[in-house]
């Protein structure tokens, strides 16, 4: 969704030569218009973009009686937002992203419509670890009853069971979504009261509540110059890491200079409030020393509501494929 990972999907479709595709492009930090999408085509989309902090506002535009399949990357959307499963045919996610479990385990769920497509489409070369067919080409239904092709780590299985037990004890999915909403509220209050920071996602309706992506703006930051912004962000993050206050909060490589903060259900709202205080401290410690004299002369041109540098990355949200 106006996200780097959407582009990765589109590039893979091109590489595999699966079908002609039409990319729906929009500026980084927004969600594309959906009026030109053909429901007879397959649709590939990302339900929560961690590089831009953008997600589809809803899935109401996906028709129940569609002819095409809807293939959704829900790696970081599972357990963090409501998902309308009636409008999705192929859903992939990972164990560890939202619940903090062991990494390296991708999951996929196929609707009856998607399983039917497996039967009728021509056979293509597929890696053994991804084969869902019997030798005669029919769908191997054992995989939908718990069978595995390879033996997964039993430690990882026990780990995700522990995480799910914790989630159930919290109150299940409604409680997890409430925790995410509380985390987002903390970050939103801080952003709204801080003149030098703003959302990377400029469209509030499409803003992720768990993938907090922020960019530098304001009277003290020459945000037009990416190099100046990178310098300030780097200085702040070095200070935060040295103090043990925050790790791995760099913005994604294609995003404007800023921060990428995970606010999923395993994160405590109180800890995010403390992080905001640390960010304010790091900014005050870094800003004056990092801005070069020539950058200071441009400060007057920057405002809190300035548009992101969309030229950094013309991202896409949806991939539409002809069947």
């Amino acid at each position: 969704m106006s996200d780097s990972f959407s582009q990765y999907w589109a590039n893979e479709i091109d590489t595999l030569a699966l079908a002609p595709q039409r990319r729906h492009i929009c500026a980084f930090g927004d969600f594309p218009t959906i009026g030109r999408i053909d429901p007879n085509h397959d649709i590939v989309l990302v339900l929560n973009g961690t590089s831009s902090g953008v997600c589809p506002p809803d899935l109401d535009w996906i028709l129940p009686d569609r002819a095409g399949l809807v293939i959704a990357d829900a790696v970081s959307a599972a357990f963090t937002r409501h998902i309308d499963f009636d409008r999705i045919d192929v859903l992939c996610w990972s164990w560890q992203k939202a619940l903090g479990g062991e990494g390296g385990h991708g999951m996929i769920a196929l609707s009856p419509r998607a399983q039917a497509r497996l039967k009728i489409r021509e056979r293509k070369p597929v890696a053994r670890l991804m084969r869902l067919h019997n030798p005669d080409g029919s769908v191997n239904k054992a995989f939908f009853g718990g069978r595995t092709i390879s033996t997964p780590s039993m430690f990882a299985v026990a780990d995700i069971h522990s995480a799910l037990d914790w989630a159930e004890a919290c109150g299940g999915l409604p409680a997890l979504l409430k925790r995410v909403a509380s985390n987002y509220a903390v970050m939103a209050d801080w952003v709204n009261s801080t003149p030098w920071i703003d959302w990377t996602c400029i469209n509030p309706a499409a803003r992720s509540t768990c993938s907090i992506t922020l960019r530098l703006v304001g009277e003290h930051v020459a945000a037009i110059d990416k190099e100046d912004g990178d310098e300030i962000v780097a200085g702040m993050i070095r200070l935060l890491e040295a103090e043990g206050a925050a790790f791995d909060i760099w913005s994604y490589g294609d995003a404007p200079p800023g921060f990428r903060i995970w606010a999923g259900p395993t994160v405590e709202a109180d800890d995010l409030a403390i992080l905001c205080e640390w960010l304010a401290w790091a900014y005050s410690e870094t800003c004056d020393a990092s801005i070069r004299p020539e950058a200071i002369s441009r400060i007057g041109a920057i405002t809190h509501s300035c548009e992101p540098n969309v030229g950094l990355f013309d991202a896409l949200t949806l991939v539409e494929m002809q069947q």
Side-chain angles (χ1 to χ4, degrees), residues 237-296:
I237 290 179
R238 282 194 294 267
L239 284 175
L240 293 172
E241 290 180 347
E243 296 291 337
F247 299 94
D248 193 24
I249 62 170
W250 296 88
S251 59
Y252 199 74
D254 294 316
F259 307 95
R260 185 168 61 151
I261 299 166
W262 179 248
T266 59
V267 177
E268 300 292 336
D270 290 345
D271 289 338
L272 288 173
I274 295 172
L275 173 63
C276 291
E277 295 179 7
W278 275 107
L279 285 166
W281 167 81
Y283 179 79
S284 64
E285 291 289 313
T286 304
C287 186
D288 291 340
S290 295
I291 298 182
R292 300 190 301 271
E294 62 269 23
I296 295 176

Side-chain angles (χ1 to χ4, degrees), residues 160-176:
I160 190 61
H161 273 287
S162 177
L164 290 169
D165 289 343
W166 169 83
E168 186 176 4
C170 288
L173 182 61
L176 297 184

Side-chain angles (χ1 to χ4, degrees), residues 15 19 56 90 104 139 158 168 232 246 301 308 321:
T15 300
V90 180
V139 177
E168 186 176 4
I232 294 171
M321 298 187 294

